[in-house]
Amino acid sequence: MSSIIPTAAYTSTLSDKETARFILPDLVSDCHYPLRLNPDCYPVSRASEQWLLHGAHLAEPRVTKFMGLHAGELTAACYPDSDAFHLRVCSDFMNWLFNLDDWLDEFDTDDTWGMRECCISAFRDPINFQTEKLAGKMCKSYFSRFVQTGGFGCTERFIHTMDLFFIAVAQQADDRAKGRIPDLESYITTRRDTSGCKPCFALIEYAALIDLPDKVMSHPVIMAMEEATNDLVTWSNDLFSYNKEQSVHDTHNMIVILMCEQDLNLQGAVDYVGRLCKDSIQRFEDSRDILPSWGEELDRQVAIYIEGLQNWIVGSLHWSFDSTRYFGNNGHIVKQNRIVELLPKRPL
């Protein structure tokens, strides 16, 4: 189910619920996991940035915007124990994914499907597949290195979850084109795939040189922990990205859904999402308490995977304020006072 609201009606509906500012929930204080940074962070991050700039043919002002992203630092916090080779593959993927996300924001549904076909083909055969698309060439670059050590299950999980990402982004493009704002349940389902978190979880296995069997990865407790992690990363991102998105009338955000569906004002919707984020960490811990055992060696690998999910929770929270993507150069100030001043809306 989705409700179709014309853009003009959407703007009118929400304008009286917005204020000049809002207060972010204190998500950082709610998260007690240790923040660690890979010792190879900075040389790998800088090399990966140059790889992206060259491969994507970026020009100003996109170059300046990209250099403030600091995706390599996010990668180093999410995979703190990886060696330099595997960290570089993860960092290249992360830089590529953020850049792809920006490209896809400007794509219609047909263009998105075309990008999906190109990238999935590159993943399936990164050596022999030929393409002139820049995104596809970059896929070939990092995935030809991925498959050198990536296990079969891990590789299949990565490709499958990237396919889910493209399918969900195509749905988002269709909603955007038709002025359709989904209901909360539909939005949550789609957002778990548009977030791009699921292939990043496959990289936890890749970076740690493990390849967990399907009986582990399909277990309800493991799936619940992945979902709780995805929800925390995704919903907190909706909080952090809302200001930028509202200024360009982007409605793919939980805050917008709540304001429309539950008739909340802006601060009420922000607080609601904050409670959901806190609850997702509790869901993660509740699932950890009931983890089954698969034997000593598998349990060791599962512990590595779960710590990787935990690293994603804490790493993404801190990085969101260090990057300029959401708060410009004021991230350290917003992290302290949690006050977000609304940007003016661009003319329709």
Side-chain angles (χ1 to χ4, degrees):
M1 286 289 294
S2 294
S3 56
I4 300 177
I5 303 177
T7 301
Y10 152 73
T11 304
S12 174
T13 300
L14 297 186
S15 61
D16 61 338
K17 298 178 184 177
E18 291 187 335
T19 54
R21 59 168 58 177
F22 64 90
I23 310 296
L24 287 169
D26 194 2
L27 300 180
V28 173
S29 295
D30 287 339
C31 181
H32 302 292
Y33 305 138
L35 176 67
R36 297 187 295 126
L37 203 64
N38 191 295
D40 292 310
C41 170
Y42 296 108
V44 169
S45 296
R46 301 296 82 81
S48 184
E49 286 169 351
Q50 292 306 308
W51 172 85
L52 189 285
L53 290 172
H54 175 76
H57 296 180
L58 295 188
E60 292 293 358
R62 288 182 183 262
V63 171
T64 298
K65 177 183 176 183
F66 169 71
M67 293 305 290
L69 175 64
H70 302 310
E73 281 80 345
L74 170 62
T75 310
C78 294
Y79 311 99
D81 300 311
S82 171
D83 64 36
F85 175 85
H86 291 81
L87 182 68
R88 173 61 193 275
V89 173
C90 294
S91 189
D92 285 358
F93 168 73
M94 203 77 72
N95 277 313
W96 173 86
L97 184 64
F98 276 108
N99 191 71
L100 179 70
D101 188 55
D102 289 340
W103 279 341
L104 292 173
D105 282 343
E106 302 169 6
F107 280 18
D108 61 19
T109 307
D110 289 342
D111 289 336
T112 303
W113 285 120
M115 184 64 78
R116 174 206 183 200
E117 181 179 356
C118 172
C119 293
I120 297 300
S121 296
F123 295 144
R124 286 295 177 197
D125 189 0
I127 304 300
N128 298 310
F129 175 69
Q130 299 299 314
T131 179
E132 291 304 311
K133 290 183 183 289
L134 296 179
K137 289 182 176 180
M138 287 186 284
C139 282
K140 285 166 56 70
S141 171
Y142 68 76
F143 212 65
S144 63
R145 287 172 276 143
F146 179 105
V147 296
Q148 291 176 24
T149 60
F152 176 79
C154 167
T155 301
E156 288 300 308
R157 279 186 281 277
F158 179 91
I159 297 173
H160 173 63
T161 53
M162 277 305 304
D163 199 23
L164 294 178
F165 167 80
F166 281 112
I167 293 169
V169 171
Q171 178 63 55
Q172 179 186 351
D174 189 56
D175 287 344
R176 183 169 59 236
K178 296 177 179 176
R180 182 189 297 124
I181 301 178
D183 60 74
L184 183 60
E185 183 178 355
S186 300
Y187 173 78
I188 288 174
T189 299
T190 302
R191 189 72 174 96
R192 284 170 176 158
D193 287 321
T194 62
S195 69
C197 282
K198 293 177 181 179
C200 293
F201 297 164
L203 291 181
I204 297 172
E205 295 179 81
Y206 166 77
L209 298 175
I210 59 176
D211 192 28
L212 290 166
D214 288 342
K215 68 178 181 180
V216 172
M217 299 307 288
S218 63
H219 193 281
V221 175
I222 296 294
M223 294 175 68
M225 297 187 81
E226 290 175 333
E227 186 173 279
T229 304
N230 194 343
D231 288 347
L232 183 281
V233 174
T234 302
W235 299 343
S236 63
N237 181 261
D238 278 12
L239 290 168
F240 301 144
S241 64
Y242 172 77
N243 193 20
K244 182 180 71 171
E245 291 171 358
Q246 64 82 29
S247 71
V248 295
H249 310 276
D250 189 341
T251 61
H252 189 69
N253 189 296
M254 183 181 281
I255 293 173
V256 174
I257 309 296
L258 290 168
M259 291 171 72
C260 288
E261 186 174 298
Q262 302 199 18
D263 199 30
L264 297 172
N265 63 19
L266 175 56
Q267 188 62 57
V270 167
D271 293 342
Y272 190 110
V273 177
R275 290 192 294 273
L276 290 179
C277 288
K278 189 171 184 177
D279 289 346
S280 68
I281 295 179
Q282 188 59 53
R283 281 191 283 132
F284 185 86
E285 287 302 317
D286 289 345
S287 295
R288 194 203 299 263
D289 288 342
I290 58 172
L291 260 178
S293 174
W294 289 276
E296 183 177 353
E297 176 54 25
L298 272 183
D299 288 354
R300 182 190 68 82
Q301 295 182 29
V302 167
I304 292 172
Y305 185 70
I306 290 172
E307 184 177 11
L309 296 175
Q310 178 179 294
N311 289 333
W312 255 99
I313 291 174
V314 65
S316 65
L317 286 177
H318 286 274
W319 166 82
S320 297
F321 297 99
D322 295 334
S323 172
T324 62
R325 188 173 178 88
Y326 308 113
F327 307 112
N329 294 318
N330 297 321
H332 64 290
I333 298 173
V334 176
K335 191 176 186 179
Q336 289 181 331
N337 63 26
R338 311 199 323 271
I339 298 172
V340 179
E341 305 283 350
L342 281 189
L343 295 167
K345 281 185 168 60
R346 294 182 188 175
L348 290 169

